[in-house]
Amino acid sequence: MIAKSKTPWYLWSVLNNRCPRCRKGKIFKSQEAYKFKTNVDMHERCPVCNQPTEIEVGFYYGTGYVSYALSVAFLVSTFIAWKVLIGMTFSIDDNRIFYWMGTAFVLLFIMQPLIMRLSRSLWLSWFVKYDPNWQEHPIEEPERIVPEQMNNW
């Protein structure tokens, strides 16, 4: 009987910042999100399958939209949780909405390094598909890369 290795789930690989092609290699050089000088430094290629992490110049500009969507989702979920658990009204004498705003924005500020890394991992996973047989399939080099322009920002 041939033992098959379990395929990591998509969500697991995104949340653990793994390569979307092999779902094994780590895409960030440092695994510490709160080490601010190196928290978004990425390997040029996946250490396991050799998949490039920057497909074209300026590839990660789109992560701003993903980060914005994740932040809005966080704020909406904290608002709903606050409304259900603590309750609030929109009357002039009820200050609980201001307590929610202060708490939510402080938490959002603290979570921002995690959101930045998650948005990069999500963005890359939308453009690089999973290949369970990545060992047999060679990497197709992206056609829009100009090596002289890489990291030129």
Side-chain angles (χ1 to χ4, degrees):
M1 201 171 191
I2 298 172
K4 273 188 134 179
S5 63
K6 282 186 121 179
T7 303
W9 290 357
Y10 171 77
L11 188 59
W12 179 89
S13 65
V14 168
L15 292 176
N16 286 300
N17 300 316
R18 301 295 175 147
C19 171
R21 182 169 181 252
C22 65
R23 295 186 181 169
K24 294 180 180 174
K26 297 177 180 179
I27 59 175
F28 290 102
K29 291 179 180 176
S30 170
Q31 297 308 306
E32 299 177 29
Y34 291 98
K35 196 180 254 188
F36 296 120
K37 290 190 178 192
T38 61
N39 69 341
V40 290
D41 287 349
M42 300 176 74
H43 295 289
E44 284 187 32
R45 295 182 171 270
C46 172
V48 176
C49 70
N50 208 26
Q51 168 68 39
T53 56
E54 188 155 349
I55 297 172
E56 64 184 357
V57 177
F59 176 70
Y60 289 105
Y61 287 155
T63 60
Y65 298 108
V66 179
S67 179
Y68 176 75
L70 291 172
S71 299
V72 168
F74 174 77
L75 289 174
V76 167
S77 63
T78 58
F79 179 79
I80 291 170
W82 192 278
K83 179 99 169 125
V84 168
L85 296 174
I86 294 175
M88 71 177 88
T89 62
F90 294 105
S91 74
I92 195 80
D93 297 326
D94 190 6
N95 290 331
R96 288 180 285 189
I97 194 164
F98 297 113
Y99 297 136
W100 163 76
M101 284 174 28
T103 304
F105 290 131
V106 166
L107 286 174
L108 185 62
F109 183 75
I110 291 170
M111 289 182 54
Q112 199 57 43
L114 295 171
I115 290 174
M116 286 185 338
R117 289 168 70 99
L118 179 60
S119 66
R120 279 184 172 228
S121 183
L122 273 170
W123 189 255
L124 184 62
S125 73
W126 293 337
F127 291 95
V128 177
K129 68 177 187 168
Y130 173 63
D131 185 4
N133 301 319
W134 59 269
Q135 294 95 341
E136 288 93 35
H137 301 128
I139 297 283
E140 293 179 19
E141 290 297 324
E143 71 269 1
R144 294 191 284 190
I145 285 198
V146 180
E148 300 84 45
Q149 295 297 318
M150 295 303 285
N151 298 323
N152 195 14
W153 47 294

